[in-house]
Amino acid sequence: MRWWRADLHIHSTLSPCASLALSPARIVAEAHRAGLDLIAICDHNAAETGRYVRRLAGATPAVLMGMEIQTAEEVEVLAYFTDEESALLLQEELQASLPDIPCDPELFGDQVVVDEREEIVRHVERLLLAPVDLPLSAVVRRVEDRGGLAIPAHADRVPGGLLAVLGLFPEGEWPLAVEIAPWTPVAQVTASWPGLGTRPILRGSDAHYPEEIGRAWTEFYLAAPTLDELRAALRGEGGRKVRPGPELKEGR
Ligand SMILES: [Zn+2]
Ligand SMILES: [Zn+2]
């Protein structure tokens, strides 16, 4: 086993709020620049870009299929999958339950699927940056039923963070871990939210611009950079470990 550096929260051209420079080719180049071993592309209620990033990345970085789902309570949850089909089927279900608001590029930005050759596959018409018509518990169940892992995104952040929105930590086993914002010190989160217990704290870049990729990261001590290994590390199994990188000094 060894340490692997991961940034599991990267947006692409498919997020209306993200830069149109975030094509699969640019994402892979920036991941190499940042020395990342493992990445996940998490667009708002969308998973599609991940498949094209995978085709380019080869062995390094390893690429998980991902998504940042906005629940009916407006809590944001990161979902990770190994196989493309599970992620894309869930994407289809979620997008069907989005409010029928067209994405006006002037107002919201473009939502473009770009492939591994830098070619536009399609524009997504319905606005993706909106809550799906499913509560948090149903979103988590759907992710897990399809073999995925659901983790609260930037849990301390207003808006969208689980802890900030709900104001309390859910009872039960879920979540296995929480992601915190790139600039929040770990000690601040553990002091504010004792309900976290011993759950691991993760950090991701939430990159909306190319240069932000890898600005925040988490290291995992694993046998291989796979979702099963990652899940085992979050449970602390077999000597696997998790270590969030340092906080960014500047907020945004
Ligand atoms: Zn965004
Ligand atoms: Zn995000």
Side-chain angles (χ1 to χ4, degrees):
M1 288 198 281
R2 70 163 177 95
W3 288 102
W4 306 77
R5 184 179 287 212
D7 181 356
L8 301 178
H9 192 159
I10 297 172
H11 289 265
S12 81
T13 55
L14 187 46
S15 292
C17 39
S19 164
L20 281 174
L22 280 167
S23 65
R26 185 70 185 272
I27 290 171
V28 170
E30 295 289 340
H32 288 154
R33 183 258 312 145
L36 297 170
D37 302 301
L38 175 62
I39 62 174
I41 316 305
C42 297
D43 285 306
H44 297 288
N45 300 314
E48 236 165 305
T49 299
R51 73 198 312 188
Y52 302 111
V53 175
R54 274 186 168 180
R55 288 180 193 171
L56 277 176
T60 310
V63 182
L64 296 177
M65 294 295 287
M67 227 184 300
E68 183 169 25
I69 304 167
Q70 196 176 349
T71 72
E73 302 92 336
E74 304 201 12
V75 168
E76 291 180 314
V77 175
L78 298 166
Y80 301 115
F81 297 87
T82 299
D83 67 296
E84 295 180 14
E85 204 185 315
S86 302
L88 295 173
L89 284 171
L90 183 63
Q91 164 186 294
E92 213 172 292
E93 277 176 36
L94 294 173
Q95 290 185 4
S97 86
L98 282 172
D100 196 7
I101 304 170
C103 179
D104 178 348
E106 299 277 305
L107 274 180
F108 303 111
D110 290 285
Q111 303 181 151
V112 197
V113 181
V114 176
D115 72 11
E116 72 277 19
R117 295 160 308 190
E118 302 273 52
E119 280 171 17
I120 292 178
V121 178
R122 67 190 185 103
H123 288 261
V124 175
E125 305 290 334
R126 193 177 280 200
L127 180 63
L128 295 172
L129 187 52
V132 298
D133 189 22
L134 289 168
L136 174 64
S137 55
V139 166
V140 171
R141 198 172 333 114
R142 288 196 190 203
V143 171
E144 292 180 346
D145 283 351
R146 292 197 185 280
L149 172 69
I151 303 278
H154 38 62
D156 57 300
R157 200 190 79 180
V158 181
L162 172 83
L163 302 173
V165 173
L166 299 186
L168 51 84
F169 203 79
E171 287 186 25
E173 202 209 2
W174 189 84
L176 275 183
V178 296
E179 187 205 59
I180 61 172
W183 45 84
T184 308
V186 169
Q188 186 181 312
V189 175
T190 48
S192 305
W193 306 98
L196 279 172
T198 56
R199 287 178 175 86
I201 287 178
L202 315 181
R203 207 187 283 286
S205 70
D206 198 5
H208 282 66
Y209 294 89
E211 59 276 14
E212 292 176 350
I213 291 175
R215 68 177 173 170
W217 67 87
T218 304
E219 289 174 310
F220 295 91
Y221 194 68
L222 311 170
T226 65
L227 186 58
D228 285 343
E229 283 281 313
L230 209 116
R231 204 183 261 116
L234 299 182
R235 296 201 168 108
E237 290 170 3
R240 292 173 188 77
K241 291 178 277 194
V242 182
R243 176 167 85 185
E247 70 270 19
L248 275 180
K249 291 305 173 204
E250 300 243 312
R252 110 179 139 177

